[in-house]
Amino acid sequence: MRRLRAVLAVLLCLAPVCALATETWMTVMLDGRKVGKLKIDREAGQDKVTTSQVLDFRLTRIKTPLAMRTELRSIESSGGKPLAFYAKSSMSSQENLVQGEVRDDGAFQVANTVGGESRVNLLIWPTGAALVEGQRLNMVRKGFRPGTTYQTRNFDPVKQQVATVDIVVVGDEAVDLPQGRETLHHLRQTLAGNSSQYVDIWVNDNGDVRRGIAPLLGFRMEMAACDATCANAPDQDVDLLRAAMVDAPRPMANLRLAPVRYLISVRGNHPNPFIETDEQHVHELGDDLFQVDVGFAVPRSDEPGPSQEDTAPNPWVQSDSPIVLALAKRIVGDASSDLQRMRRLRSYMSDYITEKGLDVGYASALETINTRRGDCTEHAVLLTALARSLGIPARVVTGIVYVDRFGGASRVFIPHAWTQAWLGNRWVSFDSAQRRFDSTHIALGTGSGDPWRFFRSMSVLGSIRMERATPASALMDMPAPAGDGGGVVSGGGKGAAGAN
């Protein structure tokens, strides 16, 4: 799965690293196969501590290699007070930069550069939030007595967000590492309110992380301390995208334009991973079973209207760019309604991205305008930016969609992204990558268009099984609603598939 950089961000965010050593190497593995390396440098002066982390990661998406690099640097006082942070990542043909530095008044001036476009804003440091050294000091202060529990607030420089983390000290264990056995303290760190996102770490008395394990799409992802030779050994190919596919219970091509009821089982500790939208309704049946109805008519929308996030530009969705606005105006021409504008935008975007492939990690709207390269996420991010530039609230949906064949697999649901626009009084889906929205789209989450939301929504893949898919015409308790021209029905009898 191409969003693995976000997974490693969770590890780096949840696990403070390297207290006293000047240099630490770690190997990164998926189910025991080496896929990357992490180098950590720590320089402690008299009044400040600088921690640098460089992560190199390589994966394969249907025989297409994708190499990613993330560089993080934090500067803190010897007592753990944040002074500056820096993050550089490559998820496409261009690098993405974040640079933050504290001002005299205590606020941070933060510069974000995505796809060559820079934005500067002020950040009021979140109360109690800590960078790497502050996290380590807090861990040592709390101690390693088994059963100890506490909570921390860890700042992620890449997203400029705080992760509230619940920590439990499990106990002391003898751990086999590549260079030998060490006795370490075992801690489990869980994102507060989301028990499915956790990291098990093993640290020494100084709070140096020597091993970390987290689940990823059915894989066991592990980072283990070793020497430079071990960390720099050749990587092995792991096709994460294939592992994220979900087998369909039946051929779905003939069901695309009819409402469909899905019965889906979810293994493991995953609270309801499916979201309610104006086009999708979810019922938890117990015993890890969920009923997901897509395309059935509802009398009115129960979804909240647009938030400020659904209308505002951000470093990935640059809807305030003159280039984005000029393209949007040219596409919609004399369209007289938002629905007509969205239809024209969707139709144009379906042919605009001419180089379709899996070698683009995650590109911003402006970068996609310039390169015309990408896959479903580039479609969704750019379409969302074009809509917002015209004053139409829009958001990016992440989920799965059915395809007859993909990467040598047949009849599978694959990770996917599309756009929802607020039209009148409800959210309506538009999919420029697939050319239309239909009942084989199952939504897992919505977001503003930044890449980090994808991982949060996609974490359940590898744990779900499609048990049954039943068209509305075969259901005794819910007759198929009448639409206005065929297609998936989305509230009030409006055909969503026909609408976009």
Side-chain angles (χ1 to χ4, degrees), residues 3 32 46 48 60-61 83 141 167 178 215 248 374 424-425 493:
R3 301 296 187 264
Q46 184 174 2
K48 70 178 181 180
T60 302
R61 299 191 305 167
L83 302 176
R141 281 195 296 266
I167 298 179
N425 63 351

Side-chain angles (χ1 to χ4, degrees), residues 92 94 96 114-117 119 313-321 323-325 327 349 352-353 360 362-373 377-389 396 448-451:
S92 64
Q94 298 186 10
N96 309 305
V114 175
E117 292 288 319
R119 297 168 182 267
N314 62 50
W316 298 92
V317 181
Q318 303 106 330
S319 53
D320 59 346
S321 167
I323 297 174
V324 174
L325 179 58
L327 178 59
M349 282 299 104
Y352 183 82
I353 297 179
V360 178
Y362 198 102
S364 69
L366 275 176
E367 184 178 347
T368 303
I369 286 179
N370 293 329
T371 65
R372 302 181 68 168
R373 299 176 61 242
T377 50
E378 282 68 47
H379 274 274
V381 168
L382 180 50
L383 183 56
T384 298
L386 293 168
R388 289 185 191 173
S389 74
V396 173
S448 64
D450 64 64

Side-chain angles (χ1 to χ4, degrees), residues 26-185:
M26 303 189 83
T27 184
V28 182
M29 298 170 286
L30 287 179
D31 281 355
R33 303 179 71 183
K34 184 179 181 300
V35 292
K37 62 186 177 183
L38 173 65
K39 183 175 184 286
I40 306 165
D41 291 290
R42 179 179 184 273
E43 181 180 350
Q46 184 174 2
D47 56 355
K48 70 178 181 180
V49 177
T50 300
T51 308
S52 301
Q53 306 171 59
V54 180
L55 170 69
D56 288 293
F57 199 92
R58 180 183 180 276
L59 58 88
T60 302
R61 299 191 305 167
I62 313 300
K63 298 182 180 180
T64 301
L66 180 63
M68 294 174 285
R69 164 170 281 214
T70 299
E71 300 177 29
L72 303 178
R73 184 168 66 249
S74 63
I75 301 175
E76 302 163 76
S77 71
S78 57
K81 180 180 179 180
L83 302 176
F85 56 85
Y86 169 92
K88 181 169 69 173
S89 60
S90 59
M91 291 183 287
S92 64
S93 60
Q94 298 186 10
E95 291 181 332
N96 309 305
L97 302 174
V98 177
Q99 295 174 284
E101 186 173 3
V102 69
R103 305 192 317 176
D104 292 340
D105 60 3
F108 275 73
Q109 180 169 301
V110 181
N112 291 269
T113 304
V114 175
E117 292 288 319
S118 296
R119 297 168 182 267
V120 178
N121 62 283
L122 291 182
L123 170 70
I124 304 301
W125 192 258
T127 302
L131 290 169
V132 172
E133 181 68 6
Q135 295 169 34
R136 184 194 71 80
L137 291 172
N138 186 54
M139 179 186 296
V140 173
R141 281 195 296 266
K142 295 295 184 180
F144 304 108
R145 181 178 178 179
T148 300
T149 62
Y150 56 96
Q151 194 172 78
T152 64
R153 287 168 55 79
N154 300 346
F155 185 80
D156 183 349
V158 177
K159 295 180 283 187
Q160 295 135 71
Q161 295 177 358
V162 175
T164 301
V165 180
D166 294 320
I167 298 179
V168 176
V169 179
V170 179
D172 293 349
E173 299 173 3
V175 178
D176 289 321
L177 298 175
Q179 308 308 129
R181 177 171 292 187
E182 298 182 17
T183 299
L184 302 170
H185 309 296

Side-chain angles (χ1 to χ4, degrees), residues 437-474:
F437 174 83
D438 59 40
S439 61
T440 69
H441 290 66
I442 298 177
L444 300 174
T446 61
S448 64
D450 64 64
W452 330 122
R453 306 290 182 93
F454 193 91
F455 166 69
R456 188 167 62 190
S457 299
M458 295 290 115
S459 61
V460 70
L461 296 183
S463 300
I464 71 176
R465 174 185 172 89
M466 201 78 65
E467 303 289 350
R468 189 164 63 242
T470 307
S473 58

Side-chain angles (χ1 to χ4, degrees), residues 363-438:
S364 69
L366 275 176
E367 184 178 347
T368 303
I369 286 179
N370 293 329
T371 65
R372 302 181 68 168
R373 299 176 61 242
D375 55 23
C376 63
T377 50
E378 282 68 47
H379 274 274
V381 168
L382 180 50
L383 183 56
T384 298
L386 293 168
R388 289 185 191 173
S389 74
L390 297 174
I392 303 172
R395 62 190 186 185
V396 173
V397 185
T398 54
I400 55 178
V401 69
Y402 173 81
V403 291
D404 284 319
R405 288 193 61 79
F406 189 86
S410 300
R411 298 175 180 173
V412 291
F413 286 81
I414 62 173
H416 194 53
W418 62 95
T419 295
Q420 280 186 345
W422 181 259
L423 302 179
N425 63 351
R426 65 182 57 251
W427 291 100
V428 178
S429 287
F430 297 84
D431 186 349
S432 61
Q434 294 283 322
R435 294 187 175 270
R436 70 183 302 156
F437 174 83
D438 59 40

Side-chain angles (χ1 to χ4, degrees), residues 263-266 283-291 465 467:
L263 182 65
I264 305 174
S265 60
V266 181
H283 304 278
E284 189 168 354
L285 304 179
D287 295 325
D288 299 322
L289 282 175
F290 297 87
Q291 175 184 298
R465 174 185 172 89
E467 303 289 350

Side-chain angles (χ1 to χ4, degrees), residues 300-342:
R300 61 181 177 82
S301 172
D302 290 326
E303 272 208 276
S307 67
Q308 182 180 358
E309 186 179 71
D310 300 318
T311 60
N314 62 50
W316 298 92
V317 181
Q318 303 106 330
S319 53
D320 59 346
S321 167
I323 297 174
V324 174
L325 179 58
L327 178 59
K329 287 183 175 180
R330 178 163 61 87
I331 295 170
V332 301
D334 60 355
S336 59
S337 69
D338 284 348
L339 174 59
Q340 191 177 20
R341 294 183 185 97
M342 287 303 304

